[in-house]
Amino acid sequence: MNPALIPEGAHPLAATIARLVWLLPLLPLAGFLINGTLAMLGAAKVGPADPSAGHDHAGDAHGHDAHGHDAHGHDSAHDDHHVPVRHKFAPIVSLIGPGVLVAAFGLAVACFFAMRGVSMEHPYIVTLYQWMPVGDLNLNATMLLDPLSMVMVLVITGVGMLIHVFSVGYMQDDPGYPRYFAYLNLFVFFMLMLVLGGSYPLLFVGWEGVGLCSYLLIGFWFSEKANADAGKKAFIVNRIGDFGFLVAMFLMFSNLGTLDIGGVAAKAVELPMGGAVITAIALFLFLGCTGKSAQIPLYVWLPDAMAGPTPVSALIHAATMVTAGVYLVARSSAIFSMAPVAQLTVALVGGLTAFFAATIGLKQWDIKKVLAYSTVSQLGYMFVGVGVGAYTAGVFHLVTHAFFKALLFLGSGSVIFVMHAAYHHTHNHDDAQDMRNMGGLKQYMPVTFYLMWTATLAIAGIPLFSGFFSKDEILGSVFARVSHSTLAESSLLGIPGGTVLLVVYGLGLASALMTAIYMTRMMLYTFHGPNRTGEAERAHLKEAPWIMTGPLVVLAVLAAFGGWLNVPELLSAIGPVGSLEHWLEPVVGAATLRTTLGAAPEMAHQTELLLVGTAIAIAMAGIAFAVIRLKPAALVPKKDYPAAEGIDRVLENKYFVDEGYDAAFVRPTVGVSRAVLWKGVDAGIIDGLFVNGSALLMRAFGWMGSQLQTGQLGTYAWVLLIGAITILGAFTLR
């Protein structure tokens, strides 16, 4: 039965607080409107007076960058006594910005408990109003609440709330404080619209909205060209992927006759398994995912997104925007389960992305860039999960990743905050985000030290931290589908599906090894060994305020114990088995069984133990290798560090992919635009021929007319006579 045809009032959730689901996105929207109004009321001018003035591009709460510029564009080296003045509306913004997220999270928790008490065989759909009645397309603005959207809502509002609270301490001295929270609230509004939208076009509205907000937040300090360019890069690269999403929707409507999520799921399974139409729809949807969720080849925007404030990085890269592609594949599980070739493509691209990004993370020195490439790599893991039809495993890793990656980003924000404050006091212009200028911070920031190690053990896959459970489930699912699944019976570019899956499994293991290495490297160079910040700066190193450290504690608990959400049968002694799997069963259960040929995948107990043991051994080996091989005591500050050579230089420069894109696409496009569109079409044809040519023609007519106006009566008489003779001749001569 099509769930869209179930009467709204007949659903058991209609009599619960879940009927207020429409309030979930409305609360952050209200925060945006209020904070946006306060930002405009408190603005003395629109934009910076001097666009070349250096604003903070690293984002500590005092607004000081590594080059000695505060957020007002003053050089701190020449302004020894400058004290940042907080925005006059900062107190009310500090209440409204996080407050609307606290209220939204409270409502989300209430809806969750309401859902636990009823049968969720069908989604709860709330119709708000008629939206697009155009010909055969008759779309309503609807909110869809089901187990999958509920998981996403809890992650978005829960982790988002903690990031908003952290932002109060991190950004409160920034002159754009109300504008920052307005953008942050608007981002959450669009993300909630994305996951609650009851149709693909409404989902696409949220999809585009988070793209807009990412542009605004990444380029928040837009007066510095590098920040503005990073925002534009994110926006443009995402538009490439969004073109694929649009084409997928066109194909859905032309072949299925509907764009409602429930209607598409019901009709997609009626198409031929592995047919051209269903495969094309799935591949175009995945093209949209490669842009939004930073997969090869459209991953290049995400590392540059570090130009935004660090809490923005935590929100975009941990809990929300970048996971939208994973959510889209899980939401469209009915489509993907009918297209095995598309599933193999998703899994292979995910595996390659996980491996590729992990290699780059091995040689990054900027603490946020390490985490950025880690995010790209972990997103690859999620796509491996949903790509092989293990939708629960992919969503499970999405959730655990939100916990430990938000903790890592916010923890790095605390480190950057303290480093900037120390450098500001001594007027040092060294790079406050480079790990070569850190070291030994555990004695100054012990709480952050232990919390970040918790997240590091989780992402490395150490038992019994959250990442161990979700990573192991993804790798085990890939291995289980090698022999008995629609994927194994298909092929990709002539390569048997089973072989492709074995390659993906190998890429996953290699990525896990490198993840343990580069994350341990980050911790060793940041917190262990001697301090390299500077003798004068050490007196100013201390723990970040509790309004910033408090959210880290909550996230650390979630990173440590979040794996209990979906305990495997093998570890049934530690908690209830498969809670998340049972929860998501009504949404993705049928699609999962379709991929596994109607039977739950089974492995011999010995095989399962071997796979788990291998994953644990790889994680432990990666940490051990980093501890033995890396020597924090031998590391020198950035200014004394020799230039990288060989493979180190290649990895530091990210395989020169950006330079390759610039040479292959950007510069040719600029060249053609300048030579053909500007000088040829605009200046040559439009200006030269039409504008200047028409003006020249009018001048010629004017000159001819002026020659006839001589002022001599005899000339006028002769012209009149010649004209009269010409007219008479025209009528008389035949």
Side-chain angles (χ1 to χ4, degrees), residues 206-506:
W207 187 274
E208 290 299 284
V210 293
L212 167 65
C213 293
S214 68
Y215 163 75
L216 296 172
L217 287 166
I218 293 168
F220 180 76
W221 291 300
F222 56 88
S223 60
E224 188 167 318
K225 186 177 184 299
N227 300 337
D229 287 346
K232 288 186 289 186
K233 183 177 183 180
F235 191 81
I236 292 170
V237 172
N238 271 273
R239 298 293 74 73
I240 299 171
D242 295 349
F243 169 77
F245 195 163
L246 283 170
V247 173
M249 286 194 292
F250 295 151
L251 289 173
M252 287 180 198
F253 185 68
S254 61
N255 291 278
L256 304 177
T258 181
L259 288 173
D260 287 320
I261 287 176
V264 169
K267 294 187 176 182
V269 296
E270 298 174 2
L271 294 175
M273 170 69 79
V277 171
I278 196 70
T279 301
I281 293 174
L283 288 175
F284 277 114
L285 281 175
F286 182 57
L287 176 57
C289 298
T290 59
K292 195 67 69 185
S293 296
Q295 297 296 285
I296 291 174
L298 301 180
Y299 71 93
V300 291
W301 69 269
L302 195 146
D304 286 42
M306 297 298 105
T310 302
V312 170
S313 302
L315 186 64
I316 292 178
H317 300 158
T320 55
M321 176 175 159
V322 295
T323 61
V326 181
Y327 166 78
L328 180 61
V329 176
R331 173 59 71 196
S332 307
S333 58
I335 295 173
F336 281 89
S337 64
M338 295 293 294
V341 171
Q343 288 183 285
L344 287 171
T345 303
V346 173
L348 182 59
V349 170
L352 290 171
T353 303
F355 179 85
F356 181 77
T359 61
I360 299 176
L362 291 170
K363 292 302 295 182
Q364 296 303 301
W365 291 108
D366 185 310
I367 189 171
K368 287 176 66 177
K369 286 290 180 71
V370 175
L371 298 178
Y373 281 102
S374 169
T375 298
V376 176
S377 182
Q378 295 304 306
L379 286 167
Y381 264 106
M382 297 177 207
F383 278 107
V384 168
V386 294
V388 300
Y391 302 104
T392 298
V395 174
F396 184 27
H397 197 56
L398 182 157
V399 174
T400 60
H401 177 265
F403 298 154
F404 57 69
K405 187 54 64 66
L407 172 54
L408 287 167
F409 266 117
L410 295 184
S412 72
S414 293
V415 170
I416 293 168
F417 178 91
V418 171
M419 291 286 293
H420 272 299
Y423 280 150
H424 173 68
H425 279 96
T426 60
H427 310 300
N428 192 331
H429 295 177
D430 285 347
D431 189 346
Q433 294 184 194
D434 196 295
M435 295 185 295
R436 289 169 291 190
N437 294 331
M438 299 178 186
L441 291 182
K442 68 177 180 180
Q443 60 183 312
Y444 306 103
M445 307 178 69
V447 177
T448 304
F449 165 73
Y450 287 112
L451 297 179
M452 288 190 70
W453 258 117
T454 300
T456 299
L457 295 175
I459 192 175
I462 298 298
L464 299 164
F465 293 88
S466 59
F468 161 73
F469 292 95
S470 54
K471 268 189 179 182
D472 182 69
E473 187 170 344
I474 289 174
L475 293 173
S477 298
V478 175
F479 194 86
R481 283 156 175 75
V482 169
S483 59
H484 189 72
S485 66
T486 56
L487 304 177
E489 295 178 354
S490 303
S491 62
L492 181 63
L493 301 177
I495 303 173
T499 303
V500 174
L501 292 177
L502 286 175
V503 171
V504 171
Y505 180 75

Side-chain angles (χ1 to χ4, degrees), residues 588-601:
V588 300
T592 302
L593 288 177
R594 193 175 297 116
T595 300
T596 58
L597 300 177

Side-chain angles (χ1 to χ4, degrees), residues 609-632:
L609 285 175
L610 179 62
L611 294 179
V612 172
T614 301
I616 295 174
I618 284 178
M620 298 294 289
I623 294 175
F625 176 84
V627 170
I628 295 171
R629 179 74 173 80
L630 303 177
K631 305 295 181 185

Side-chain angles (χ1 to χ4, degrees), residues 90-107:
I92 189 172
V93 171
S94 298
L95 290 175
I96 294 172
V100 293
L101 264 293
V102 173
F105 178 64
L107 178 57

Side-chain angles (χ1 to χ4, degrees), residues 573-594:
I574 70 171
V577 174
S579 299
L580 185 62
E581 184 176 358
H582 298 319
W583 176 258
L584 294 177
E585 170 71 22
V587 184
V588 300
T592 302
L593 288 177
R594 193 175 297 116

